[in-house]
mmCIF file of all heavy atoms in Angstrom:
data_model
loop_
_atom_site.group_PDB
_atom_site.id
_atom_site.type_symbol
_atom_site.label_atom_id
_atom_site.label_comp_id
_atom_site.label_asym_id
_atom_site.label_seq_id
_atom_site.Cartn_x
_atom_site.Cartn_y
_atom_site.Cartn_z
ATOM 1 N N ILE A 85 100.381 -120.492 -58.517
ATOM 2 C CA ILE A 85 100.210 -120.628 -59.978
ATOM 3 C C ILE A 85 101.270 -121.672 -60.379
ATOM 4 O O ILE A 85 102.452 -121.428 -60.235
ATOM 5 C CB ILE A 85 100.452 -119.322 -60.689
ATOM 6 C CG1 ILE A 85 99.451 -118.254 -60.223
ATOM 7 C CG2 ILE A 85 100.358 -119.500 -62.205
ATOM 8 C CD1 ILE A 85 99.767 -116.852 -60.723
ATOM 9 N N GLU A 86 100.813 -122.861 -60.867
ATOM 10 C CA GLU A 86 101.787 -123.894 -61.161
ATOM 11 C C GLU A 86 101.336 -124.750 -62.325
ATOM 12 O O GLU A 86 100.154 -124.871 -62.658
ATOM 13 C CB GLU A 86 101.995 -124.780 -59.924
ATOM 14 C CG GLU A 86 100.748 -125.479 -59.443
ATOM 15 C CD GLU A 86 100.957 -126.218 -58.104
ATOM 16 O OE1 GLU A 86 102.067 -126.268 -57.617
ATOM 17 O OE2 GLU A 86 99.959 -126.718 -57.567
ATOM 18 N N ASN A 87 102.338 -125.389 -62.947
ATOM 19 C CA ASN A 87 102.160 -126.357 -64.006
ATOM 20 C C ASN A 87 101.264 -125.822 -65.142
ATOM 21 O O ASN A 87 100.461 -126.554 -65.709
ATOM 22 C CB ASN A 87 101.577 -127.658 -63.440
ATOM 23 C CG ASN A 87 102.455 -128.238 -62.373
ATOM 24 O OD1 ASN A 87 103.667 -128.301 -62.512
ATOM 25 N ND2 ASN A 87 101.867 -128.669 -61.272
ATOM 26 N N SER A 88 101.391 -124.557 -65.428
ATOM 27 C CA SER A 88 100.547 -123.914 -66.448
ATOM 28 C C SER A 88 101.402 -123.365 -67.586
ATOM 29 O O SER A 88 102.611 -123.158 -67.418
ATOM 30 C CB SER A 88 99.693 -122.820 -65.815
ATOM 31 O OG SER A 88 98.791 -123.370 -64.870
ATOM 32 N N THR A 89 100.756 -123.061 -68.695
ATOM 33 C CA THR A 89 101.410 -122.435 -69.837
ATOM 34 C C THR A 89 100.702 -121.130 -70.193
ATOM 35 O O THR A 89 99.476 -121.099 -70.305
ATOM 36 C CB THR A 89 101.377 -123.362 -71.064
ATOM 37 O OG1 THR A 89 102.072 -124.571 -70.749
ATOM 38 C CG2 THR A 89 102.045 -122.723 -72.288
ATOM 39 N N PHE A 90 101.501 -120.085 -70.362
ATOM 40 C CA PHE A 90 100.983 -118.744 -70.690
ATOM 41 C C PHE A 90 101.721 -118.300 -71.944
ATOM 42 O O PHE A 90 102.968 -118.208 -71.923
ATOM 43 C CB PHE A 90 101.242 -117.783 -69.549
ATOM 44 C CG PHE A 90 100.647 -118.222 -68.258
ATOM 45 C CD1 PHE A 90 101.405 -118.872 -67.285
ATOM 46 C CD2 PHE A 90 99.309 -117.989 -67.972
ATOM 47 C CE1 PHE A 90 100.855 -119.294 -66.097
ATOM 48 C CE2 PHE A 90 98.740 -118.382 -66.792
ATOM 49 C CZ PHE A 90 99.503 -119.037 -65.848
ATOM 50 N N TRP A 112 102.838 -115.731 -52.282
ATOM 51 C CA TRP A 112 102.527 -116.387 -53.555
ATOM 52 C C TRP A 112 103.628 -117.329 -53.966
ATOM 53 O O TRP A 112 104.789 -117.099 -53.756
ATOM 54 C CB TRP A 112 102.325 -115.325 -54.652
ATOM 55 C CG TRP A 112 100.955 -114.741 -54.676
ATOM 56 C CD1 TRP A 112 100.481 -113.774 -53.826
ATOM 57 C CD2 TRP A 112 99.904 -115.110 -55.531
ATOM 58 N NE1 TRP A 112 99.165 -113.514 -54.130
ATOM 59 C CE2 TRP A 112 98.781 -114.307 -55.178
ATOM 60 C CE3 TRP A 112 99.763 -116.051 -56.558
ATOM 61 C CZ2 TRP A 112 97.562 -114.429 -55.836
ATOM 62 C CZ3 TRP A 112 98.555 -116.136 -57.222
ATOM 63 C CH2 TRP A 112 97.454 -115.341 -56.836
ATOM 64 N N VAL A 113 103.213 -118.433 -54.632
ATOM 65 C CA VAL A 113 104.166 -119.405 -55.197
ATOM 66 C C VAL A 113 103.859 -119.519 -56.690
ATOM 67 O O VAL A 113 102.730 -119.828 -57.092
ATOM 68 C CB VAL A 113 104.013 -120.792 -54.524
ATOM 69 C CG1 VAL A 113 104.921 -121.792 -55.182
ATOM 70 C CG2 VAL A 113 104.326 -120.679 -53.031
ATOM 71 N N ILE A 114 104.848 -119.261 -57.532
ATOM 72 C CA ILE A 114 104.732 -119.338 -58.964
ATOM 73 C C ILE A 114 105.802 -120.338 -59.426
ATOM 74 O O ILE A 114 107.004 -120.024 -59.424
ATOM 75 C CB ILE A 114 104.952 -117.934 -59.610
ATOM 76 C CG1 ILE A 114 103.969 -116.961 -59.004
ATOM 77 C CG2 ILE A 114 104.795 -118.012 -61.125
ATOM 78 C CD1 ILE A 114 104.361 -115.506 -59.153
ATOM 79 N N ARG A 115 105.400 -121.549 -59.819
ATOM 80 C CA ARG A 115 106.373 -122.605 -60.070
ATOM 81 C C ARG A 115 105.937 -123.532 -61.233
ATOM 82 O O ARG A 115 104.759 -123.744 -61.433
ATOM 83 C CB ARG A 115 106.654 -123.385 -58.847
ATOM 84 C CG ARG A 115 105.433 -124.180 -58.342
ATOM 85 C CD ARG A 115 105.762 -125.012 -57.107
ATOM 86 N NE ARG A 115 104.505 -125.483 -56.515
ATOM 87 C CZ ARG A 115 104.248 -125.538 -55.237
ATOM 88 N NH1 ARG A 115 105.149 -125.166 -54.362
ATOM 89 N NH2 ARG A 115 103.071 -125.958 -54.824
ATOM 90 N N HIS A 116 106.966 -124.027 -61.911
ATOM 91 C CA HIS A 116 106.775 -125.068 -62.946
ATOM 92 C C HIS A 116 105.832 -124.622 -64.057
ATOM 93 O O HIS A 116 105.028 -125.383 -64.551
ATOM 94 C CB HIS A 116 106.299 -126.388 -62.330
ATOM 95 C CG HIS A 116 107.204 -126.898 -61.259
ATOM 96 N ND1 HIS A 116 108.462 -127.420 -61.526
ATOM 97 C CD2 HIS A 116 107.052 -126.940 -59.917
ATOM 98 C CE1 HIS A 116 109.030 -127.785 -60.399
ATOM 99 N NE2 HIS A 116 108.197 -127.483 -59.398
ATOM 100 N N ASN A 117 105.955 -123.347 -64.477
ATOM 101 C CA ASN A 117 105.147 -122.838 -65.559
ATOM 102 C C ASN A 117 106.000 -122.569 -66.773
ATOM 103 O O ASN A 117 107.220 -122.473 -66.697
ATOM 104 C CB ASN A 117 104.476 -121.501 -65.141
ATOM 105 C CG ASN A 117 103.582 -121.662 -63.932
ATOM 106 O OD1 ASN A 117 102.583 -122.291 -64.015
ATOM 107 N ND2 ASN A 117 103.987 -121.086 -62.829
ATOM 108 N N VAL A 118 105.375 -122.426 -67.944
ATOM 109 C CA VAL A 118 106.039 -122.062 -69.185
ATOM 110 C C VAL A 118 105.460 -120.739 -69.632
ATOM 111 O O VAL A 118 104.217 -120.584 -69.732
ATOM 112 C CB VAL A 118 105.861 -123.139 -70.277
ATOM 113 C CG1 VAL A 118 106.456 -122.662 -71.589
ATOM 114 C CG2 VAL A 118 106.450 -124.449 -69.845
ATOM 115 N N PHE A 119 106.328 -119.754 -69.963
ATOM 116 C CA PHE A 119 105.937 -118.473 -70.476
ATOM 117 C C PHE A 119 106.560 -118.365 -71.880
ATOM 118 O O PHE A 119 107.792 -118.471 -72.028
ATOM 119 C CB PHE A 119 106.441 -117.336 -69.596
ATOM 120 C CG PHE A 119 105.870 -117.364 -68.209
ATOM 121 C CD1 PHE A 119 106.454 -118.108 -67.202
ATOM 122 C CD2 PHE A 119 104.736 -116.640 -67.898
ATOM 123 C CE1 PHE A 119 105.919 -118.126 -65.917
ATOM 124 C CE2 PHE A 119 104.191 -116.645 -66.633
ATOM 125 C CZ PHE A 119 104.796 -117.398 -65.628
ATOM 126 N N ALA A 133 107.108 -111.100 -67.644
ATOM 127 C CA ALA A 133 106.203 -112.258 -67.572
ATOM 128 C C ALA A 133 105.642 -112.387 -66.172
ATOM 129 O O ALA A 133 104.458 -112.660 -66.015
ATOM 130 C CB ALA A 133 106.951 -113.524 -67.983
ATOM 131 N N VAL A 134 106.437 -112.176 -65.154
ATOM 132 C CA VAL A 134 105.998 -112.215 -63.774
ATOM 133 C C VAL A 134 106.387 -110.869 -63.123
ATOM 134 O O VAL A 134 107.550 -110.546 -63.050
ATOM 135 C CB VAL A 134 106.647 -113.367 -63.008
ATOM 136 C CG1 VAL A 134 106.268 -113.332 -61.518
ATOM 137 C CG2 VAL A 134 106.276 -114.711 -63.632
ATOM 138 N N THR A 143 107.297 -113.718 -51.983
ATOM 139 C CA THR A 143 106.932 -114.441 -53.203
ATOM 140 C C THR A 143 108.042 -115.438 -53.529
ATOM 141 O O THR A 143 109.220 -115.160 -53.439
ATOM 142 C CB THR A 143 106.784 -113.427 -54.359
ATOM 143 O OG1 THR A 143 105.901 -112.379 -53.963
ATOM 144 C CG2 THR A 143 106.279 -114.116 -55.606
ATOM 145 N N LEU A 144 107.625 -116.619 -53.949
ATOM 146 C CA LEU A 144 108.558 -117.628 -54.463
ATOM 147 C C LEU A 144 108.268 -117.845 -55.967
ATOM 148 O O LEU A 144 107.146 -118.188 -56.331
ATOM 149 C CB LEU A 144 108.394 -118.979 -53.743
ATOM 150 C CG LEU A 144 109.117 -120.179 -54.342
ATOM 151 C CD1 LEU A 144 110.636 -119.976 -54.314
ATOM 152 C CD2 LEU A 144 108.720 -121.448 -53.608
ATOM 153 N N THR A 145 109.283 -117.604 -56.798
ATOM 154 C CA THR A 145 109.188 -117.895 -58.265
ATOM 155 C C THR A 145 110.265 -118.916 -58.550
ATOM 156 O O THR A 145 111.446 -118.631 -58.528
ATOM 157 C CB THR A 145 109.359 -116.611 -59.061
ATOM 158 O OG1 THR A 145 108.422 -115.621 -58.609
ATOM 159 C CG2 THR A 145 109.138 -116.871 -60.530
ATOM 160 N N ASP A 146 109.841 -120.152 -58.865
ATOM 161 C CA ASP A 146 110.739 -121.280 -58.880
ATOM 162 C C ASP A 146 110.498 -122.177 -60.110
ATOM 163 O O ASP A 146 109.320 -122.554 -60.393
ATOM 164 C CB ASP A 146 110.580 -122.115 -57.625
ATOM 165 C CG ASP A 146 111.545 -123.285 -57.513
ATOM 166 O OD1 ASP A 146 112.667 -123.172 -58.015
ATOM 167 O OD2 ASP A 146 111.122 -124.305 -56.950
ATOM 168 N N ALA A 147 111.559 -122.597 -60.786
ATOM 169 C CA ALA A 147 111.546 -123.637 -61.846
ATOM 170 C C ALA A 147 110.581 -123.327 -62.990
ATOM 171 O O ALA A 147 109.875 -124.230 -63.478
ATOM 172 C CB ALA A 147 111.262 -124.990 -61.208
ATOM 173 N N ASN A 148 110.539 -122.096 -63.418
ATOM 174 C CA ASN A 148 109.720 -121.723 -64.571
ATOM 175 C C ASN A 148 110.602 -121.654 -65.838
ATOM 176 O O ASN A 148 111.811 -121.407 -65.715
ATOM 177 C CB ASN A 148 109.061 -120.364 -64.330
ATOM 178 C CG ASN A 148 108.125 -120.349 -63.165
ATOM 179 O OD1 ASN A 148 107.064 -120.883 -63.243
ATOM 180 N ND2 ASN A 148 108.568 -119.767 -62.051
ATOM 181 N N LYS A 149 109.992 -121.854 -67.003
ATOM 182 C CA LYS A 149 110.730 -121.717 -68.287
ATOM 183 C C LYS A 149 110.213 -120.473 -69.003
ATOM 184 O O LYS A 149 109.029 -120.272 -69.152
ATOM 185 C CB LYS A 149 110.463 -122.950 -69.145
ATOM 186 C CG LYS A 149 111.096 -124.209 -68.618
ATOM 187 C CD LYS A 149 110.832 -125.357 -69.539
ATOM 188 C CE LYS A 149 111.385 -126.630 -68.934
ATOM 189 N NZ LYS A 149 111.106 -127.791 -69.772
ATOM 190 N N PHE A 150 111.138 -119.645 -69.465
ATOM 191 C CA PHE A 150 110.851 -118.439 -70.218
ATOM 192 C C PHE A 150 111.430 -118.586 -71.629
ATOM 193 O O PHE A 150 112.630 -118.649 -71.778
ATOM 194 C CB PHE A 150 111.431 -117.232 -69.489
ATOM 195 C CG PHE A 150 110.890 -117.035 -68.113
ATOM 196 C CD1 PHE A 150 111.486 -117.613 -67.020
ATOM 197 C CD2 PHE A 150 109.740 -116.279 -67.915
ATOM 198 C CE1 PHE A 150 110.968 -117.430 -65.731
ATOM 199 C CE2 PHE A 150 109.233 -116.080 -66.632
ATOM 200 C CZ PHE A 150 109.841 -116.666 -65.548
ATOM 201 N N ILE A 151 110.540 -118.635 -72.642
ATOM 202 C CA ILE A 151 110.939 -118.883 -74.012
ATOM 203 C C ILE A 151 110.518 -117.698 -74.835
ATOM 204 O O ILE A 151 109.304 -117.408 -74.926
ATOM 205 C CB ILE A 151 110.326 -120.189 -74.546
ATOM 206 C CG1 ILE A 151 110.708 -121.382 -73.647
ATOM 207 C CG2 ILE A 151 110.719 -120.442 -75.985
ATOM 208 C CD1 ILE A 151 109.846 -122.617 -73.843
ATOM 209 N N GLY A 156 111.789 -111.512 -67.792
ATOM 210 C CA GLY A 156 111.245 -112.658 -67.113
ATOM 211 C C GLY A 156 110.526 -112.321 -65.835
ATOM 212 O O GLY A 156 109.325 -112.438 -65.743
ATOM 213 N N ILE A 157 111.284 -111.944 -64.801
ATOM 214 C CA ILE A 157 110.718 -111.793 -63.441
ATOM 215 C C ILE A 157 111.116 -110.415 -62.912
ATOM 216 O O ILE A 157 112.275 -110.004 -62.983
ATOM 217 C CB ILE A 157 111.244 -112.868 -62.501
ATOM 218 C CG1 ILE A 157 110.922 -114.240 -63.086
ATOM 219 C CG2 ILE A 157 110.678 -112.711 -61.112
ATOM 220 C CD1 ILE A 157 111.748 -115.370 -62.452
ATOM 221 N N TYR A 159 110.478 -108.255 -59.258
ATOM 222 C CA TYR A 159 109.906 -107.984 -57.906
ATOM 223 C C TYR A 159 110.149 -106.533 -57.638
ATOM 224 O O TYR A 159 111.286 -106.066 -57.714
ATOM 225 C CB TYR A 159 110.627 -108.821 -56.849
ATOM 226 C CG TYR A 159 110.303 -110.316 -56.795
ATOM 227 C CD1 TYR A 159 109.512 -110.955 -57.715
ATOM 228 C CD2 TYR A 159 110.830 -111.046 -55.741
ATOM 229 C CE1 TYR A 159 109.260 -112.295 -57.620
ATOM 230 C CE2 TYR A 159 110.562 -112.419 -55.637
ATOM 231 C CZ TYR A 159 109.791 -113.032 -56.575
ATOM 232 O OH TYR A 159 109.562 -114.388 -56.478
ATOM 233 N N VAL A 173 111.939 -115.240 -52.972
ATOM 234 C CA VAL A 173 113.020 -116.035 -53.569
ATOM 235 C C VAL A 173 112.733 -116.178 -55.046
ATOM 236 O O VAL A 173 111.583 -116.480 -55.441
ATOM 237 C CB VAL A 173 113.079 -117.432 -52.884
ATOM 238 C CG1 VAL A 173 114.081 -118.295 -53.612
ATOM 239 C CG2 VAL A 173 113.397 -117.297 -51.439
ATOM 240 N N ILE A 174 113.782 -116.023 -55.883
ATOM 241 C CA ILE A 174 113.719 -116.318 -57.298
ATOM 242 C C ILE A 174 114.817 -117.365 -57.533
ATOM 243 O O ILE A 174 115.999 -117.098 -57.262
ATOM 244 C CB ILE A 174 114.020 -115.073 -58.179
ATOM 245 C CG1 ILE A 174 112.926 -114.050 -57.930
ATOM 246 C CG2 ILE A 174 114.078 -115.457 -59.661
ATOM 247 C CD1 ILE A 174 113.259 -112.661 -58.571
ATOM 248 N N ARG A 175 114.429 -118.566 -57.995
ATOM 249 C CA ARG A 175 115.467 -119.608 -58.154
ATOM 250 C C ARG A 175 115.059 -120.619 -59.253
ATOM 251 O O ARG A 175 113.884 -120.797 -59.568
ATOM 252 C CB ARG A 175 115.691 -120.355 -56.826
ATOM 253 C CG ARG A 175 114.504 -121.178 -56.420
ATOM 254 C CD ARG A 175 114.769 -121.955 -55.114
ATOM 255 N NE ARG A 175 113.587 -122.697 -54.766
ATOM 256 C CZ ARG A 175 113.144 -122.872 -53.549
ATOM 257 N NH1 ARG A 175 113.823 -122.403 -52.505
ATOM 258 N NH2 ARG A 175 112.047 -123.600 -53.284
ATOM 259 N N ASN A 176 116.085 -121.234 -59.833
ATOM 260 C CA ASN A 176 115.943 -122.374 -60.750
ATOM 261 C C ASN A 176 115.084 -122.072 -62.004
ATOM 262 O O ASN A 176 114.498 -122.976 -62.572
ATOM 263 C CB ASN A 176 115.348 -123.584 -60.043
ATOM 264 C CG ASN A 176 116.181 -124.043 -58.898
ATOM 265 O OD1 ASN A 176 117.404 -124.026 -58.978
ATOM 266 N ND2 ASN A 176 115.545 -124.410 -57.795
ATOM 267 N N ASN A 177 114.990 -120.808 -62.432
ATOM 268 C CA ASN A 177 114.235 -120.465 -63.617
ATOM 269 C C ASN A 177 115.203 -120.424 -64.791
ATOM 270 O O ASN A 177 116.396 -120.174 -64.648
ATOM 271 C CB ASN A 177 113.627 -119.037 -63.427
ATOM 272 C CG ASN A 177 112.622 -119.052 -62.284
ATOM 273 O OD1 ASN A 177 111.532 -119.535 -62.390
ATOM 274 N ND2 ASN A 177 113.013 -118.477 -61.144
ATOM 275 N N MET A 178 114.663 -120.685 -65.975
ATOM 276 C CA MET A 178 115.526 -120.589 -67.161
ATOM 277 C C MET A 178 114.747 -120.017 -68.363
ATOM 278 O O MET A 178 113.577 -120.066 -68.393
ATOM 279 C CB MET A 178 116.100 -121.944 -67.520
ATOM 280 C CG MET A 178 115.140 -123.039 -67.894
ATOM 281 S SD MET A 178 116.028 -124.489 -68.341
ATOM 282 C CE MET A 178 115.162 -124.959 -69.785
#
Side-chain angles (χ1 to χ4, degrees):
I85 301 171
E86 62 187 354
N87 303 315
S88 296
T89 300
F90 303 97
W112 275 80
V113 176
I114 304 159
R115 64 178 167 220
H116 304 289
N117 300 293
V118 175
F119 297 88
V134 176
T143 308
L144 170 63
T145 305
D146 182 34
N148 297 286
K149 292 182 184 178
F150 298 90
I151 303 165
I157 303 164
Y159 285 7
V173 174
I174 298 172
R175 68 178 179 217
N176 301 321
N177 298 284
M178 62 178 227

